[in-house]
Amino acid sequence: MNSQLPAFTQAVFAVVKGIQKGQTMTYKEVAMAAGQPSAYRAVGNILNTNYNPDIPCHRVVRSDGTAGGYNRGVDQKIAILTSEKALKFSSNR
DNA sequence: GAGCTGACATGTT
DNA sequence: CAACATGCCAGCT
C-alpha cells in the first residue's frame, strides 16, 4: 500500500495547519503530535526543505517561543508573528 | 555535570 | 538532487 507515505509529514502538516492565528506551536509539540517526539529535528528539516503553502510553518517556533529560523527569511517570520502577536522574541540565540 | 532543544548535517531511499 | 529520519554538537537552564 502507500508505504511511501510518510505519515510523519502528513501528521506534521495536519498539526501545523491546525494552528490558529496568534497561536504558535513548538517543534516538540508538532513532533509529538505527529507521533514521533524524537523527530523534532525532522520537523524543521521538512519545513525547511519543503515548504508547503498550505502550512503556516512560520507558526512553528522553538520551545522558547522564539522564531528560530525560517526558510523564507527569519525577517519574514518575525514580521508575521509580530503582526499576530504570537512571537515572544526574535532570534535570541 | 546532566538534561533538553535546535530551521544543521549526514545517511538512506 | 530531493525528501524523510536520526544523530552529533553546541548552548541554555
Side-chain angles (χ1 to χ4, degrees), chain A residues 5-78:
Chain A
L5 187 72
F8 182 64
T9 309
Q10 304 295 307
V12 171
F13 290 163
V15 172
V16 177
K17 286 198 310 189
I19 302 177
Q20 308 158 59
K21 178 182 177 185
Q23 179 65 50
T24 46
M25 194 172 282
T26 65
Y27 300 104
K28 272 293 279 299
E29 295 293 291
V30 177
M32 287 190 205
Q36 303 218 146
S38 7
Y40 49 85
R41 321 287 312 124
V43 176
N45 237 342
I46 293 163
L47 300 178
N48 188 7
T49 313
N50 190 25
Y51 170 75
N52 285 48
D54 297 298
I55 300 165
C57 31
H58 53 264
R59 292 199 181 145
V60 183
V61 295
R62 299 176 76 141
S63 312
D64 309 272
T66 49
Y70 192 44
N71 55 10
R72 298 273 300 164
V74 192
D75 302 291
Q76 181 75 30
K77 184 168 183 175
I78 303 292

